[in-house]
Amino acid sequence: MMGAEKLLGSEIAHGDERERAVYTAGGALGMHTGMYLCFAAALVFALFGHILVPFVLIVLAAVPSLIAISYAERRGVDAFDILARGRAGASAASGVVVTIILLLISAAMIYTSTSGRGLLEFEFTEAWAERFGSFGNGAAVGGAFGAVGGYLWTVWLIRRRRKQQQKELSVPDRD
C-alpha cells in the first residue's frame, strides 16, 4: 500500500469515482479553509506584536499544500498545470487575497521588530485579566473535550456505516 492509502485507510479506495472525487474536493476545501484561518490568525497575532506565532502559523498553513503538490508530482501529475486550467478569475482573486494578507503580516512583523511593540495594544485590568485567565482555561478544556468527543463520534459513525454495509452485503438477492 502507498503512503496515502495507509494514512486514509481502505475506506476511500472502495468508493466509486464520484465518491472519491467528492471526498477529495471536500479535503481540498478543508485544506484551503484551514490555510486561510492560519493566515487570519497570523495577521491578528502579528498586529498585536508577536513575531514567532505568525511565522509558525504561516509555515503550518503551507504544509498541506506542499504535501499535496509533492504527492501529485511523485505520481506524475503536475498540480500547477491543473491549477492553471482552472477558473482563472477565482484563482487570481484567491492569490491576491493571500498575497495581501501575507504582506500585511510581514509589515506588522517588521514594525514590531523595528519599534519593539505591536501596532495594536491589548491590555486588561487586573480583574479582567483574572476572568480572562479562567475563561482561557475553560475554553482550552472545553476544546479538548470537544475534540475527543468529535473524534469518538466520527469513529462511531464509521463503524455504524461499516456494519450497515456488511449487513447489506450479507443479505441474499431476491430475484
Side-chain angles (χ1 to χ4, degrees), residues 81-151:
D81 186 43
I82 293 171
L83 293 173
R85 288 187 307 229
R87 296 179 304 174
S91 296
S94 174
V96 168
V97 169
V98 170
T99 302
I100 289 171
I101 291 173
L102 289 174
L103 289 173
L104 289 172
I105 292 168
S106 299
M109 290 170 67
I110 290 170
Y111 178 82
T112 298
S113 297
T114 57
S115 71
R117 61 184 181 85
L119 285 166
L120 302 175
E121 298 288 328
F122 193 69
E123 293 182 26
F124 285 112
T125 62
E126 181 107 8
W128 279 103
E130 291 172 7
R131 290 183 189 132
F132 185 72
S134 65
F135 173 76
N137 292 339
V141 170
F145 280 116
V148 170
Y151 178 76

Side-chain angles (χ1 to χ4, degrees), residues 30-84:
M31 179 181 74
H32 283 93
T33 303
M35 180 183 73
Y36 290 130
L37 289 174
C38 281
F39 287 153
L43 178 60
V44 169
F45 278 107
L47 289 174
F48 284 108
H50 294 273
I51 299 291
L52 184 60
V53 174
F55 175 76
V56 169
L57 287 171
I58 289 170
V59 169
L60 289 176
V63 168
S65 297
L66 295 173
I67 290 171
I69 291 167
S70 67
Y71 181 84
E73 284 178 354
R74 283 192 305 251
R75 280 144 189 85
V77 175
D78 186 358
F80 296 106
D81 186 43
I82 293 171
L83 293 173

